[in-house]
Every structure is written in structure tokens, then in C-alpha cells.
Amino acid sequence: MKLFSRKKDENDETEAGAQVVLEIEGMHCNSCGLLIDDELEDLAGVRSAATDVRTGRSVVRLEEGADVDGAVLVAAVEAAGDYTARIAG
């Protein structure tokens, strides 16, 4: 696990790829969000994750063509700590 680091891709805004929005409960501070980002970014097929503690949401950007099961994303969030997650929608 890479604590408190974020993947940066210079083409982050222009590259195609799906995104998944997760709703997360149990976060208390920005460190919670960073821990969740690290767990999500360690998954194969995940390009980046941006978790906002204020809104209780995480936007997970997938690599182009990646097929990542939503249950795997939820499990990664819940493995990061005492959090509950679900796919927004």
C-alpha cells in the first residue's frame, strides 16, 4: 500500500475510459479519503481514484478497456478501514 500518494497521469483529462462513482460512509477526515484512494489505485484496471470526504463520494477512473467489477471496488474501500461503500446510482 502506498500511503498518501496519488497517481497522476498527464493525460488524465483527455484519455478515454469509464468511471465508477462510489458512495462511501464512515469517512471522518482527508486521511480517510487518501487511504481509500490508495486501496482503489492498487487494483488492476484502475487508473485513478479521487475521494471527497465532504460529499462522501469517490470517482474511480478505469483504464481504457478495463473491466473492473463494482463488487471489487466496494471490497477495496471496505478493506481500507471501517467504511461501507456502494455503487452510486
Side-chain angles (χ1 to χ4, degrees), residues 14-18 45-47 61-67:
T14 59
E15 250 183 67
V46 172
R47 186 164 37 107
R61 294 178 187 249
L62 305 177
E63 294 173 357
E64 189 170 356
D67 185 25

Side-chain angles (χ1 to χ4, degrees), residues 41-73:
E41 290 175 349
D42 281 344
L43 297 174
V46 172
R47 186 164 37 107
S48 66
T51 303
D52 187 334
V53 176
R54 292 172 295 136
T55 63
R57 290 181 162 230
S58 182
V59 177
V60 182
R61 294 178 187 249
L62 305 177
E63 294 173 357
E64 189 170 356
D67 185 25
V68 180
D69 187 353
V72 172
L73 299 174

Side-chain angles (χ1 to χ4, degrees), residues 1-3 20 22-25 27 31-46 48-49 51 58 60 62 68-87:
M1 175 160 47
K2 309 171 300 288
L3 289 179
V20 178
L22 302 172
E23 293 181 352
I24 304 168
E25 294 181 9
M27 296 185 292
S31 293
C32 293
L34 292 170
L35 288 170
I36 290 168
D37 287 349
D38 283 344
E39 286 293 324
L40 290 167
E41 290 175 349
D42 281 344
L43 297 174
V46 172
S48 66
T51 303
S58 182
V60 182
L62 305 177
V68 180
D69 187 353
V72 172
L73 299 174
V74 168
V77 170
E78 293 177 353
D82 192 22
Y83 311 112
T84 57
R86 67 182 183 88
I87 305 295

